[in-house]
Amino acid sequence: MAEILDGLKVSKEIKAEIKTEVEKILESKRRAPHLVAILVGNNGASKAYVNAKVKDCEEVGFQSSLIKFPSTVSESELLEKIDELNKSKAVDGFIVQLPLPDQIDQEKIINAIDPRKDVDGFHPENFGKMALEMDTFLPATPFGILTLLERYNIETKGKDCVIIGRSKIVGRPMSILMGRKDFPGNSTVTLTHSYTKDIEEYTKKADIVITALGDPHFLKGEMIKDGAVIVDVGITRVDDDSPKGYYLAGDVDFDSCAAKASWITPVPGGVGPMTRAMLMKNTIIAYKTSVYND
């Protein structure tokens, strides 16, 4: 039976470490790190996620601000606010919660964010630096996965790693990071996606499988080898007859995979809490390197 890669436990440890850093900052009479979140519209999942980020800021001692716009906001108005935050000496990092309404060019918004304040790690400059193995902000979810593997001392060097899903937020950066010359890294990486034929042929040989599909219970136990490490990024609401009316499912069929794997992340409580913790980590990195912070 697999052991659990407990993202909830590790995220609490990371936030406690950040809180200690913030306390030292405040003791030296300097201001606390400041994270701003921009929320457009009333998407339920986005609102819940942003509210959780605000709560995380409170836990670690950050200053946080939430800027809300209606779903009808114009692209120019949003860009104007981003320019204001870019220039503000009181803001260390900010995020624009995705997805955005159809009238707004998402790529234009991402490109408008000052890379030095891009704590989501989505700006092309930061993505390019990541690919070149230079110091930069890493996207929060891949950063969280790396940290989880590191804290549990999961061996990655020389291992075969299969990633399912090629999104710009998770799959693609994860494929780069698992192949980098570092720990975790130095893996032989295969990036699979919706056009990959016979994905099972790849997953059966993999020492590490990272799924980021959004397809509940996709990865079954018969698709992995004994002793594989399974990291489940997916989280989907699946309707059921419970009082809530749904349950949260990952991409992995947990029971069948846990029976064969050596390590596995649960859903919820695996990658999700790590993503939020690494946003806090990126913010304090931004604070320490800020051109405005004296």
Side-chain angles (χ1 to χ4, degrees):
M1 192 71 182
E3 294 187 71
I4 297 296
L5 292 166
D6 192 339
L8 191 59
K9 173 178 173 288
V10 174
S11 69
K12 288 179 179 177
E13 292 170 358
I14 291 166
K15 286 192 286 187
E17 293 163 8
I18 294 171
K19 183 177 181 180
T20 300
E21 281 194 76
V22 173
E23 287 170 351
K24 290 178 181 176
I25 288 168
L26 296 177
E27 285 170 7
S28 65
K29 307 300 181 185
R30 296 158 69 196
R31 66 171 178 83
H34 184 189
L35 175 66
V36 176
I38 296 176
L39 177 63
V40 179
N42 292 301
N43 179 281
S46 293
K47 284 171 68 177
Y49 192 47
V50 168
N51 288 336
K53 290 171 182 176
V54 171
K55 184 181 176 185
D56 289 335
C57 286
E58 291 172 358
E59 284 183 26
V60 301
F62 287 178
Q63 180 184 352
S64 67
S65 300
L66 175 56
I67 299 170
K68 296 180 180 179
F69 287 103
S71 58
T72 54
V73 67
S74 68
E75 185 176 271
S76 60
E77 190 177 355
L78 189 53
L79 287 168
E80 189 177 320
K81 176 56 68 174
I82 288 171
D83 185 57
E84 179 186 318
L85 295 174
N86 283 339
K87 293 174 180 174
S88 174
K89 295 183 179 182
V91 174
D92 300 294
F94 66 95
I95 63 161
V96 179
Q97 185 64 36
L98 305 177
L100 294 169
D102 291 342
Q103 77 271 16
I104 295 173
D105 184 335
Q106 192 163 288
E107 295 300 322
K108 188 181 288 186
I109 298 302
I110 291 170
N111 288 337
I113 297 171
D114 185 334
R116 297 170 297 180
K117 297 188 178 187
D118 169 40
V119 290
D120 258 338
F122 295 161
H123 193 282
E125 180 177 318
N126 289 327
F127 197 99
K129 285 182 175 180
M130 176 195 68
L132 294 170
E133 300 189 28
M134 299 167 66
D135 286 339
T136 192
F137 296 117
L138 301 181
T141 298
F143 193 9
I145 294 169
L146 291 180
T147 303
L148 198 56
L149 295 174
E150 180 183 20
R151 296 269 174 141
Y152 278 94
N153 200 32
I154 303 298
E155 183 59 70
T156 59
K157 183 171 65 176
K159 300 296 183 180
D160 289 324
C161 176
V162 168
I163 295 164
I164 307 174
R166 56 180 171 182
S167 74
K168 290 181 280 188
I169 294 173
V170 182
R172 202 170 300 174
M174 205 67 236
S175 69
I176 294 168
L177 292 165
M178 288 301 289
R180 66 180 182 162
K181 295 179 181 178
D182 204 346
F183 172 72
N186 284 309
S187 296
T188 301
V189 182
T190 303
L191 179 61
T192 66
H193 47 78
S194 56
Y195 288 94
T196 301
K197 295 179 180 179
D198 301 321
I199 284 180
E200 191 171 334
E201 296 301 311
Y202 298 94
T203 57
K204 278 182 174 178
K205 299 175 184 176
D207 302 300
I208 302 166
V209 180
I210 301 171
T211 68
L213 275 175
D215 186 351
H217 311 298
F218 172 83
L219 189 73
K220 305 291 196 295
E222 61 264 25
M223 297 172 67
I224 66 170
K225 72 177 186 180
D226 290 337
V229 175
I230 308 298
V231 178
D232 189 352
V233 182
I235 186 161
T236 305
R237 284 190 179 194
V238 179
D239 294 336
D240 66 5
D241 295 326
S242 69
K244 282 199 304 184
Y246 69 90
Y247 68 96
L248 296 176
D251 292 343
V252 174
D253 185 65
F254 186 87
D255 290 343
S256 64
C257 285
K260 292 180 71 175
S262 57
W263 293 91
I264 192 168
T265 59
V267 174
V271 174
M274 293 300 298
T275 297
R276 286 167 46 194
M278 302 330 285
L279 182 65
M280 300 298 106
K281 188 75 172 177
N282 275 344
T283 301
I284 200 160
I285 292 169
Y287 175 85
K288 289 176 178 178
T289 58
S290 171
V291 292
Y292 304 123
N293 185 40
D294 49 27

